[in-house]
Amino acid sequence: MKKTLLLAIVMLACVAIKAQDAPTSQHLAKLPAVDIQTPDGHVFNTKDIQNDGKPIIVSLWATWCRPCVAELTAIADEYEDWVEELGVKLYAVSIDDAKTSARVMPFVNGKGWDYTVLLDVNSDFKRAMNVNDVPYMCILNGNGEIVWQHTSYAPGAEEEVYEVLKSLTSK
């Protein structure tokens, strides 16, 4: 019994010491700074992804990825309203390789997507983000910190994206 009591006191003391070491504010990750390309071939560093303190969606996708296309198409149906209501901006970062990247803009234009499109032809940004599968989407708050992320797509998932965006703009 004395050993159990002593063990409990030691454990409580360790918890109390650990609590003192805990950070007082949550440290959120930011996007890594990686050089990728604009559709017209200019270098674009991902540290320059910004939206004047408003929320940002970053989507890694490919023209050959059906779930990616389904997700971006579903969001396109709502995007204009989201921009007007929440001030959001979506960066669609294609991971199509150098052989297929020429198809990206005709594909985007054919879909009528009004997103900022960037090209990660060597998957450098994808690797830096530690993303294995697409579609991958993350939401950044006004400070450029990743506050939400997911992979894959299921119909209706855009509602969750909207709710996260709404929670960021209602603070």
Side-chain angles (χ1 to χ4, degrees), residues 90-154:
L90 191 147
Y91 287 83
V93 182
S94 169
I95 63 161
D96 283 82
D97 63 18
K99 292 178 185 176
T100 60
S101 65
R103 298 183 206 152
V104 172
M105 286 315 296
F107 186 89
V108 168
N109 293 335
K111 294 289 184 182
W113 295 343
D114 191 26
Y115 308 135
T116 300
V117 177
L118 299 168
L119 306 174
D120 185 20
V121 295
N122 296 319
S123 292
D124 295 332
F125 183 56
K126 180 182 172 221
R127 272 192 301 283
M129 290 289 294
N130 200 26
V131 171
N132 295 318
D133 297 317
V134 290
Y136 165 84
M137 182 176 286
C138 66
I139 296 176
L140 311 178
N141 64 17
N143 297 321
E145 300 163 322
I146 300 171
V147 296
W148 181 89
Q149 57 188 330
H150 81 128
T151 57
S152 75
Y153 173 72

Side-chain angles (χ1 to χ4, degrees), residues 151-171:
T151 57
S152 75
Y153 173 72
E158 60 278 2
E159 297 303 322
E160 182 179 0
V161 172
Y162 172 75
E163 291 302 322
V164 172
L165 293 169
K166 193 173 165 186
S167 73
L168 292 174
T169 58
S170 65
K171 293 180 180 177

